[in-house]
Amino acid sequence: MKSWWLAIKIAAGFLLVLLAFVSLTLHLFARMVMHSGGHDLHRAHDAFMVTVLWLGAGAMALMIGLAVYVTAPLRRMSRSMDRIAAGELDHRVPVRGNDEGAAIARSFNAMADRVRGMIVGQRELMAAVSHELRSPLTRLKVSLELLREGRGGASRIAGLEADVDALDALVEELLLASRIDLGAVSPKPELLDLAAACREAWTRVAAEAEEQGTTLRLHLAGDGHGVAADPALTLRLLGNLFENAVRHGGPGEVRVSSERHNDRVRITVADQGPGVAEADLARLFEPFFRADRSRSRRTGAGGLGLMIVRRAVEAHGGSVQARRADPRGLAVTFDLPAGVRG
């Protein structure tokens, strides 16, 4: 709508200049004819043509000035695009006034903010991946050297297998996150029984949970709140949440609750562990973020699990938040489209 209004204003400006030019020209011509009284029309004609030329030049100058004024925001944005393309990601277009040009500048700046966030996020992700790969690769090299020297035996081979599995899981998470970002993973919604999906996803961590005394408790209202979601992505995000809860929550219960809000189902996964500091809650979904850097490698290594949870939820048009559970622990709440039973 604003672009149409801007075009109308430009056209109206040119039309007014043209009408003023024609009106003034006709007025001068009439006065010259009347003043000459019908005599010496040749001289009146010459004077009229000179006047027309001057008026035409003035009108042209006015139109050029108007065009320069109207297109100034576009030129500023063009220069800003060139600077951003050259690597100045923090540069923004100055916003002046509250007209259409200012609206375009604000939209451009919002777009530049999103582009900068994407680029910076990719750079941070690559730096984090490089750091995370260094440790298992170093251990692999050491283990291979010891095996070459005939030391280590079965325990060393088991360590090699564990490191290879860790690398394989990391690469798989990276590929999935990249495919979601690129739109290669497009959700194919199906009607899912939430309770059944939770029990299936729990099998991924059942052995570790039994070992440390953690159990799953479902508190799903109504008919279990069927959801219209992609089965693979839903199982993946539930599995990642359960893995995080079992790994960091310790003995106790992992509780899953749900409630219906219009056409969405809000789901909460809460553990009974020590929880996370308030200042760290917003960063939990960043790749490789460690809320407690003093944790051991087994329980504290950050990964891409919660980042994939966020992107899987967003792919379904939802959002995810983390908060401190009551009385203790971490609670992660997300929403999925509600399913309609036929």
Side-chain angles (χ1 to χ4, degrees):
M1 184 65 184
K2 288 186 175 181
S3 60
W4 280 104
W5 181 239
L6 179 60
I8 291 172
K9 289 175 68 174
I10 295 174
F14 282 122
L15 182 59
L16 287 175
V17 172
L18 181 60
L19 289 176
F21 171 69
V22 172
S23 177
L24 186 57
T25 300
L26 292 175
H27 177 70
L28 288 175
F29 181 70
R31 288 192 61 182
M32 287 180 180
V33 172
M34 292 177 62
H35 181 72
S36 65
H39 303 290
D40 204 5
L41 288 179
H42 182 71
R43 183 179 299 176
H45 176 267
D46 291 342
F48 171 73
M49 291 304 298
V50 172
T51 304
V52 167
L53 289 174
W54 279 106
L55 288 175
M60 182 64 70
L62 286 174
M63 287 189 287
I64 292 174
L66 179 61
V68 170
Y69 172 77
V70 170
T71 59
L74 299 178
R75 293 196 305 275
R76 288 197 297 269
M77 276 186 287
S78 177
R79 290 193 295 268
S80 296
M81 289 178 187
D82 292 339
R83 294 180 63 175
I84 292 175
E88 297 183 40
L89 299 181
D90 292 324
H91 176 73
R92 296 295 178 268
V93 180
V95 179
R96 301 172 183 173
N98 197 33
D99 57 4
E100 292 79 6
I104 295 173
R106 282 190 290 269
S107 297
F108 176 85
N109 288 341
M111 179 195 67
D113 289 337
R114 290 193 293 272
V115 170
R116 181 186 183 280
M118 292 172 60
I119 293 176
V120 172
Q122 288 297 322
R123 289 176 178 174
E124 292 176 349
L125 177 60
M126 291 305 298
V129 169
S130 300
H131 176 77
E132 292 296 321
L133 288 174
R134 187 175 294 115
S135 295
L137 287 175
T138 300
R139 289 193 298 271
L140 285 171
K141 290 180 180 179
V142 172
S143 296
L144 288 172
E145 184 64 30
L146 291 174
L147 286 174
R148 189 178 292 111
E149 296 174 359
R151 294 185 290 167
S155 62
R156 186 61 58 185
I157 293 175
L160 281 170
E161 292 175 343
D163 285 328
V164 170
D165 289 341
L167 287 173
D168 183 65
L170 177 58
V171 171
E172 182 184 357
E173 288 182 332
L174 283 171
L175 289 174
L176 179 58
S178 298
R179 291 176 64 201
I180 294 175
D181 283 346
L182 294 173
V185 177
S186 178
K188 299 177 177 58
E190 297 180 12
L191 180 60
L192 299 179
D193 183 277
L194 186 55
C198 287
R199 294 190 184 97
E200 184 176 349
W202 184 257
T203 60
R204 172 174 161 182
V205 297
E208 185 178 355
E210 183 178 1
E211 181 181 338
Q212 65 180 28
T214 305
T215 58
L216 176 66
R217 289 290 181 269
L218 302 181
H219 299 274
L220 308 178
D223 61 354
H225 286 142
V227 294
D230 184 279
L233 282 179
T234 302
L235 290 175
R236 185 60 179 262
L237 73 90
L238 286 171
N240 285 6
L241 288 174
F242 291 160
E243 185 178 77
N244 185 75
V246 170
R247 183 168 295 174
H248 304 310
E253 291 183 347
V254 174
R255 298 182 179 180
V256 183
S257 59
S258 67
E259 53 184 341
R260 179 76 174 260
H261 285 268
N262 299 323
D263 61 345
R264 310 288 295 185
V265 175
R266 185 175 298 168
I267 306 160
T268 299
V269 178
D271 61 50
Q272 296 179 316
V276 175
E278 196 74 30
D280 292 333
L281 289 174
R283 300 193 59 195
L284 281 180
F285 302 98
E286 296 179 6
F288 303 109
F289 174 72
R290 293 177 175 82
D292 184 355
R293 296 183 181 276
S294 65
R295 288 175 175 171
S296 67
R297 174 178 177 266
R298 176 180 177 274
T299 61
L304 297 174
L306 291 182
M307 183 191 75
I308 290 176
V309 167
R310 182 185 65 189
R311 295 186 180 181
V313 172
E314 290 174 349
H316 286 88
S319 60
V320 59
Q321 302 87 30
R323 59 179 173 80
R324 294 180 63 85
D326 185 22
R328 64 194 299 267
L330 175 70
V332 176
T333 300
F334 63 97
D335 63 283
L336 293 174
V340 179
R341 298 185 182 275

